[in-house]
Amino acid sequence: MNDPITALEVTRWLTGHLAALTGIPGHDIDPTAPLDTLGITSMEEVMITADLEARYGLALPIPEMRRHPSIEALAAYITSRAPDNAASATSPGSLPGAGTAAESPAVGMPH
């Protein structure tokens, strides 16, 4: 089993990925700003979701990506759903006094 991923790691990776995709320098990308401010096309959305799925091992339909409209919101969602994180969160003894972890709700606002 791999180490759980963090929202910071996802945020950094996604910021770099979007910088490469859009040509916008990474230091100019605000992780709290709506993704649509980057001018991402629907084809690029497909590419982004495919790359996120491949990297983090979870299905990410485009509508779900749109429900988490910023890099930070999307990173939090991915972190909460990543298989490596789910496996460590649900292993016995991973939470003090609990045998299994409670499910966490999706974070974000409809886009």
Side-chain angles (χ1 to χ4, degrees):
M1 177 172 67
N2 295 327
D3 291 334
I5 61 168
T6 66
L8 179 60
E9 188 272 326
V10 176
T11 297
R12 286 179 177 163
W13 182 86
L14 190 52
T15 299
H17 190 67
L18 290 169
L21 189 64
T22 63
I24 299 169
H27 62 271
D28 288 340
I29 296 176
D30 178 358
T32 64
L35 290 171
D36 58 6
T37 63
L38 299 174
I40 296 169
T41 66
S42 58
M43 180 58 84
E44 289 167 330
E45 284 180 328
V46 171
M47 293 167 51
I48 293 165
T49 58
D51 292 342
L52 286 167
E53 289 173 3
R55 182 165 181 92
Y56 296 110
L58 73 158
L60 183 66
I62 289 173
E64 196 62 48
M65 182 176 138
R66 291 178 182 157
R67 282 187 200 94
H68 303 87
S70 70
I71 291 171
E72 281 188 353
L74 190 55
Y77 175 78
I78 290 166
T79 302
S80 74
R81 299 292 189 249
D84 289 339
N85 290 9
S88 65
T90 58
S91 62
S94 64
L95 296 176
T100 60
E103 290 190 54
S104 60
V107 177
M109 297 172 23
H111 182 63

